[in-house]
């Protein structure tokens, strides 16, 4: 087998050729291939580069053992210790793998391990908070959530590594190739057989529905978390986890959120905060399911409270704050421990709905806030390590805010509004900043014309009327 990229007369490359033959002779001069001869006949195909998937550029079933290769005629009669170790290991040598493939016995995952490549399946499933609320594996998201997932299908390319495969439509391959070439992104849109070869998965968020979707895509059960662990993730994704985190941070009881399981408990909690309160669904995201009690008449308030309790078993009641700015701290959980990674600055409307994220450095976010919150990083990491990390590996975004009790007073920090046990747009913004290196704004655009200097972060083939975009930020350099 041979993969080659013929050069055109103008010294450009616009296609690749995949060729198979029983025998091949290659002739070299000055360490470069001079010619290749096939016999007795060849089969193959030529594909334009703009139609090719990145994983097509590599020979399947090929492993390179540099320390074992002979570099002189005498080396042909020497067997390195590393080759002996490989022959004695449980992983088959390339020749044995080839025989197993022919016999139909070879597991693709073993092949990937043989080549020393760690691959992950990446999935953008922003409806995951709704799936957690539903709790079932066979969850059907609403049309708006489906459209959002479709628009952001290629977002995982910004954090994927070489060999990772993104769950997206085959029609998005061209957009993925363009995105990869322009910004040096390494992951590709996966085809049917790719997901059986992955060594792990990194969805936007975990739930029984996400687990089922990955199984349906062909991911092997041994590289997936258990169904029981999905119950743990659902529990620690409940908004009441903020109470546990705040308690460990030493926040006083009179300002802690309250989980109410009845109308009476909810009204009592609202009264405790003097009517200055928000009611929140226990599982929701991006500011959905959040209502300012002061803007609701009594009948509407009671209807919402009763509906929240009926749908999700309880309602969260939180004291309203004199908010100045929204931001978050981003942590990574692994091996039972949480580590602070970065800050995230974001914008919401008056009702708390998410509008967009700053694509910026920590220093730029601190300047925007007017106060440095990173003194909370270690205490929060300790609290997350106790409450969340024992049950979950992955990103956690802790939403926070700056507040000012009275006009002109010194800024204060609310160290935990809620914890998002999943990827967040703040994580995406940081990955984009690391690539682009300039201050921008990440948002979802519904207009057809993008501002000058914008970058389409997920150029899917058929946009559902919305796009994830990085746009120039006012005052950015």
């Amino acid at each position: 087998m041979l993969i080659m990229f013929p050069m055109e007369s103008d010294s450009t490359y616009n296609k690749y050729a995949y060729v198979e033959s029983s025998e091949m002779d290659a002739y070299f001069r000055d360490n470069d291939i001079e010619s290749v001869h096939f016999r007795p006949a060849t089969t193959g195909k030529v594909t334009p580069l703009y139609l090719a998937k990145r994983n097509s550029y590599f020979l399947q079933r090929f492993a390179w053992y540099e320390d074992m290769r002979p570099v002189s005629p005498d080396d042909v009669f020497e067997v390195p210790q590393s080759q002996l170790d490989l022959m004695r290991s449980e992983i088959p040598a390339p020749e044995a793998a080839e025989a197993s493939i022919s016999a139909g016995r070879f597991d693709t995952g073993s092949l990937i391990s043989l080549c020393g490549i760690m691959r992950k399946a990446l999935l953008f499933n922003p409806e995951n908070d709704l799936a957690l609320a539903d709790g079932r594996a066979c969850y059907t998201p609403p049309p708006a959530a489906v459209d959002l997932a479709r628009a952001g299908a290629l977002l995982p390319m910004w954090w994927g590594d070489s060999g990772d495969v993104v769950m997206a439509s085959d029609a998005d391959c061209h957009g993925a190739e363009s995105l990869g070439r322009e910004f040096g992104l390494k992951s590709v849109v996966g085809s049917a057989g790719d997901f059986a070869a992955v060594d792990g998965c990194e969805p936007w968020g975990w739930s029984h529905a996400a687990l089922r979707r990955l199984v349906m895509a062909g991911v092997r059960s041994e590289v997936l978390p258990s169904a029981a662990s999905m119950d743990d993730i659902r529990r620690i994704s409940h908004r009441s986890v903020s109470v546990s985190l705040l308690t460990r941070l030493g926040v006083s009881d009179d300002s802690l959120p309250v989980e109410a399981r009845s109308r009476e408990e909810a009204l009592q909690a609202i009264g405790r905060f003097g009517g200055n309160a928000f009611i929140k669904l226990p599982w929701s995201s991006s500011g959905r399911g959040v209502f300012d009690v002061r803007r609701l008449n009594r009948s509407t308030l009671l209807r919402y409270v009763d509906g929240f309790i009926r749908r999700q078993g309880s309602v969260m009641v939180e004291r309203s704050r004199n908010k100045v700015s929204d931001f978050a701290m981003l942590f990574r959980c692994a091996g039972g421990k949480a580590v602070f990674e970065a800050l995230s600055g974001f914008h919401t409307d008056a009702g708390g709905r998410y509008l967009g994220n700053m694509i910026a450095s920590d220093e730029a976010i601190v300047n925007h806030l007017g106060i440095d919150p990173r003194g909370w990083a270690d205490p929060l990491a300790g609290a997350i390590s106790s409450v969340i990390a024992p049950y979950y590996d992955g990103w956690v975004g802790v939403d926070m805010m700056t507040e000012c009790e009275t006009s002109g007073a010194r800024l204060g920090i609310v160290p935990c509004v809620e914890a998002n046990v999943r990827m967040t747009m703040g994580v995406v913004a940081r990955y984009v900043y690391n690539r682009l290196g300039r201050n921008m704004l990440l948002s979802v655009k519904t207009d057809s014309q993008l501002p000058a200097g914008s970058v389409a972060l997920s150029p899917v083939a058929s946009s559902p009327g919305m796009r994830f975009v990085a746009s120039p930020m006012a005052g950015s350099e």
Side-chain angles (χ1 to χ4, degrees), residues 38-291:
F38 302 94
R39 58 180 183 270
T42 62
T43 59
K45 64 179 180 178
V46 176
T47 305
L49 290 182
Y50 73 89
L51 291 178
K53 294 184 179 181
R54 191 178 299 272
N55 58 1
S56 301
Y57 298 167
F58 304 94
L59 287 173
Q60 301 298 313
R61 306 193 301 274
F62 178 79
W64 180 259
Y65 300 107
E66 186 170 1
D67 62 326
M68 301 181 197
R69 72 184 183 97
V71 294
S72 70
D74 291 340
D75 288 346
V76 174
F77 303 100
E78 297 290 336
V79 181
Q81 183 62 43
S82 56
Q83 184 172 349
L84 293 173
D85 293 341
L86 178 68
M87 294 167 65
R88 294 168 183 149
S89 69
E90 296 181 0
I91 301 175
E95 295 82 1
E98 184 70 31
S100 296
I101 291 168
S102 300
R105 298 190 306 269
F106 193 72
D107 180 357
T108 311
S110 299
L111 175 62
I112 299 300
S113 299
L114 175 66
C115 298
I117 301 172
M118 298 297 293
R119 307 178 74 189
K120 299 188 298 294
L122 308 178
L123 169 64
F124 180 60
N125 56 323
E127 75 283 0
N128 195 68
D129 290 322
L130 300 176
L132 285 169
D134 182 82
R136 296 173 298 175
C138 298
Y139 167 70
T140 302
V146 173
D147 287 345
L148 190 67
R150 176 80 191 95
L154 296 181
L155 283 179
M157 291 187 65
W158 290 92
W159 58 85
D161 296 320
S162 180
D164 291 349
V165 287
V166 178
M167 291 185 66
S169 168
D170 288 343
D172 295 330
C173 289
H174 179 50
E177 286 288 336
S178 299
L179 199 64
R181 283 195 301 268
E182 185 172 1
F183 300 107
L185 309 182
K186 303 299 183 183
S187 54
V188 299
V189 173
S191 57
D194 290 329
F195 296 102
V198 300
D199 304 287
C201 299
E202 192 171 357
W204 183 262
W206 282 108
S207 61
H208 284 288
L211 187 63
R212 179 178 183 270
R213 187 170 174 185
L214 291 163
V215 170
M216 296 291 287
V219 177
R220 293 168 292 128
S221 60
E222 58 263 33
V223 303
L224 287 168
S226 66
S229 67
M230 296 300 99
D231 294 328
D232 286 330
I233 290 175
R234 184 175 190 266
R235 175 178 54 80
I236 59 178
S237 298
H238 193 284
R239 273 197 166 105
S240 62
V241 79
S242 64
V243 179
S244 299
L245 295 175
L246 287 166
T247 300
R248 281 168 172 77
L249 294 174
V251 175
S252 60
D253 289 345
D254 60 351
S255 63
L256 290 175
V258 175
E259 182 183 7
R261 294 181 172 82
S262 68
R263 175 192 286 191
E264 292 71 25
E265 289 181 3
L267 293 176
Q268 183 179 4
I270 293 170
R272 169 182 162 187
F273 296 134
N276 298 317
F278 282 83
I279 56 171
K280 298 183 177 182
L281 276 167
W283 290 283
S284 65
S285 64
S286 302
R288 273 64 177 176
V290 177
F291 297 93

